[in-house]
């Protein structure tokens, strides 16, 4: 069951929204359907006659599409052929994108009055735009600058000299430590920590000494950061998260990491110090990046892969062994340890037979 929408709209109004937002497709609606009222959104399986859903023509969901009770389905040409004729449809080129646009309107956050809650503690040298909202139990440090229409949710801690750009939202219990810079229109989920010390250590006669981390965290515009993700400040240079980056929950971004524009990283990924991710990259859940390596633009790493070397060519990359029964996994693990010895024996046999592999075979 989905949460309640903040507003409702007719099918005709939704068609107008999509047209105004430049969504491509045949978004015209029949006059007898235009007045149908949509009060929320749900999946194909659960949607009622007052809810909108979407269907992209995926055959795996064809049975759900054929039996859906949704009052409106956003679909493409392929999907329209699989939906009952009685279902009201808006045909668009990218149904999921159109669905997202509709959700943004139906579930828009209600406007909240500006001002500073009486329980907030704000340093007298901090600057807060009159249109910003500071909720209960927030702390704002010396020299911090809070921009127009910023919302800082309950329990957040804003350090000294932090800058937060226009219309950025910190939902709750977000910690932004000293000197961090956050751009405009960012959304930062509960429990995020920005600007904590990186893992910098030096050996001193067998004893670890902490190396002070003196860089900053610099976050661009339109960045989303999921719950309990941590972004460490740079050791000397800045840790940089560029415009449009999307980070899931429980991600570790170490010191001096740089993530390029419009890259997306799924939950539980870990990026070691000074690693660099290019633009328009994706990292699946649980991916690990070793330190001091570079991924070029448009690299896509599938879930649970361990990246131990730089990647200089765009493409899709994977690592790791798939799940198997414990018995087979143990047998294969033993054979894996024998691969180097077997490879050497094969090379020796090739030399004896004069059958050396071609460069293509060797790669």
């Amino acid at each position: 069951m989905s949460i309640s929408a903040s507003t409702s709209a007719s099918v005709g109004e939704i068609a107008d929204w999509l047209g105004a937002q430049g969504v491509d497709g045949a978004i015209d609606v029949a006059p007898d359907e235009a007045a149908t009222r949509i009060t929320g959104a749900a999946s194909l399986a659960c949607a009622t006659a007052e809810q909108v859903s979407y269907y992209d023509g995926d055959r795996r969901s064809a049975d759900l599409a054929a039996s859906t009770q949704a009052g409106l389905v956003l679909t493409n040409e392929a999907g329209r052929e699989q939906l009952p004729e009685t279902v009201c449809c808006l045909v668009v080129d990218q149904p999921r994108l159109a669905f997202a646009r509709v959700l943004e309107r139906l579930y828009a956050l209600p406007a909240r009055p500006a001002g500073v809650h009486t329980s907030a503690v704000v340093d007298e040298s901090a600057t807060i735009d009159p249109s910003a909202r500071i909720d209960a139990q927030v702390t704002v440090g010396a020299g911090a600058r809070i921009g127009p229409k910023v919302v800082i949710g309950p329990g957040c801690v804003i350090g000294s000299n932090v800058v937060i750009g226009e219309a950025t939202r910190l939902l709750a219990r977000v910690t932004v430590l000293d000197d961090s810079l956050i751009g405009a229109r960012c959304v930062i989920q509960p429990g995020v920590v920005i600007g904590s010390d990186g893992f910098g250590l030096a050996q001193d006669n067998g004893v670890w000494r902490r190396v002070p981390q003196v860089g900053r965290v610099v976050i661009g515009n339109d960045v989303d950061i999921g719950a309990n993700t941590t972004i460490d400040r740079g050791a000397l240079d800045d840790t940089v998260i560029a415009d449009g980056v999307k980070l899931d929950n429980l991600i570790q971004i170490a010191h001096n990491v740089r993530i390029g524009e419009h890259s997306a990283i799924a939950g539980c990924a870990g990026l070691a110090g000074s690693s660099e991710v290019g633009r328009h990259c994706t990292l699946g859940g649980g991916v690990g990046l070793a330190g001091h390596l570079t991924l070029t633009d448009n690299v896509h790493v599938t879930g649970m892969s361990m990246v131990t070397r730089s990647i200089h060519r765009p493409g899709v990359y994977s690592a790791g062994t798939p799940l198997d029964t414990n018995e087979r996994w143990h047998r294969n693990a033993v054979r894996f340890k024998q691969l180097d010895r077997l490879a050497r024996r094969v090379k020796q046999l090739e030399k004896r037979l004069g059958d050396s592999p071609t460069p293509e075979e060797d790669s």
Side-chain angles (χ1 to χ4, degrees):
M1 181 176 179
S2 58
I3 63 174
S4 300
S6 58
T7 189
S8 64
S10 69
V11 170
E13 288 171 328
I14 290 173
D16 291 340
W17 292 350
L18 297 177
Q21 293 167 344
V23 174
D24 295 328
I27 58 175
D28 294 332
V29 59
D32 61 330
E33 297 175 329
T36 301
R37 206 74 194 164
I38 299 300
T39 62
S43 66
L44 287 170
C46 297
T48 67
E50 295 183 340
Q51 292 178 312
V52 60
S53 191
Y54 81 97
Y55 177 51
D56 59 7
D58 188 340
R59 293 286 180 179
R60 291 173 294 183
S61 302
D63 290 345
L64 297 177
S67 60
T68 186
Q69 301 297 309
L72 173 64
V73 176
L74 307 178
T75 188
N76 51 22
E77 292 289 353
R80 183 66 188 97
E81 296 175 359
Q82 301 172 48
L83 287 160
E85 292 184 1
T86 55
V87 172
C88 177
C89 296
L90 293 179
V91 179
V92 296
D93 290 345
Q94 295 179 280
R96 181 172 172 80
L97 176 61
F99 188 63
R101 295 286 185 263
V102 172
L103 292 184
E104 288 172 358
R105 298 290 291 268
L106 290 178
Y107 293 87
L109 292 176
R112 303 179 67 189
V116 179
H117 195 276
T118 55
S119 66
V121 178
V122 180
D123 189 274
E124 61 183 12
S125 65
T127 302
I128 299 176
D129 188 276
S131 64
R133 177 180 177 86
I134 310 297
D135 272 328
Q137 304 296 324
V138 169
T139 301
V140 181
R145 288 182 285 159
I146 310 300
K149 301 179 182 178
V150 168
V151 176
I152 299 182
C156 292
V157 176
I158 309 301
S160 300
N161 303 313
V162 167
V163 176
I164 301 178
E166 181 174 0
T168 283
R169 290 186 291 127
L170 282 62
L171 270 67
R173 295 180 292 99
V174 175
T175 300
V176 185
L177 296 171
D178 295 355
D179 303 298
S180 299
L181 306 181
I182 301 175
R185 301 175 302 280
C186 298
V187 178
I188 303 176
Q189 300 289 338
V192 168
V193 178
I194 297 171
S196 50
D197 274 359
F199 195 55
L201 303 170
Q203 274 278 357
D204 179 9
N205 293 319
V207 176
W208 289 112
R209 302 295 184 190
R210 189 177 69 85
V211 177
Q213 306 289 283
V214 298
R216 305 173 300 172
V217 173
V218 178
I219 296 174
N221 301 324
D222 303 299
V223 172
D224 291 355
I225 303 175
N228 293 320
T229 283
T230 59
I231 304 175
D232 292 343
R233 69 176 53 253
L236 294 174
D237 299 328
D238 296 333
T239 300
V240 178
I241 312 297
D243 293 351
V245 168
K246 309 300 181 185
L247 302 177
D248 197 1
N249 303 333
L250 294 166
I251 294 172
Q252 160 65 12
I253 308 293
H255 57 195
N256 300 104
V257 167
R258 302 180 74 91
I259 302 176
E261 289 88 347
H262 306 292
S263 288
I265 302 177
C268 297
L271 282 66
S274 299
S275 57
E276 183 170 349
V277 176
R279 297 174 296 173
H280 301 284
C281 294
T282 59
L283 305 182
V287 165
L289 261 64
H292 300 273
L293 54 75
T294 299
L295 306 187
T296 192
D297 299 343
N298 296 296
V299 166
H300 308 285
V301 182
T302 60
M304 302 303 293
S305 297
M306 181 63 197
V307 183
T308 58
R309 58 181 176 82
S310 293
I311 300 175
H312 302 295
R313 293 183 180 180
V316 179
Y317 295 82
S318 301
T321 56
L323 184 72
D324 205 342
T325 64
N326 189 62
E327 181 181 1
R328 279 201 299 256
W329 186 89
H330 274 291
R331 289 204 303 265
N332 289 331
V334 170
R335 290 170 180 146
F336 180 81
K337 294 179 181 180
Q338 299 170 346
L339 286 179
D340 182 65
R341 181 170 58 85
L342 290 172
R344 292 175 185 274
R345 291 182 64 186
V346 169
K347 284 189 175 182
Q348 290 174 353
L349 289 172
E350 288 173 343
K351 287 181 180 179
R352 292 177 187 175
L353 297 172
D355 185 20
S356 297
T358 64
E360 290 80 6
E361 293 172 336
D362 195 46
S363 61

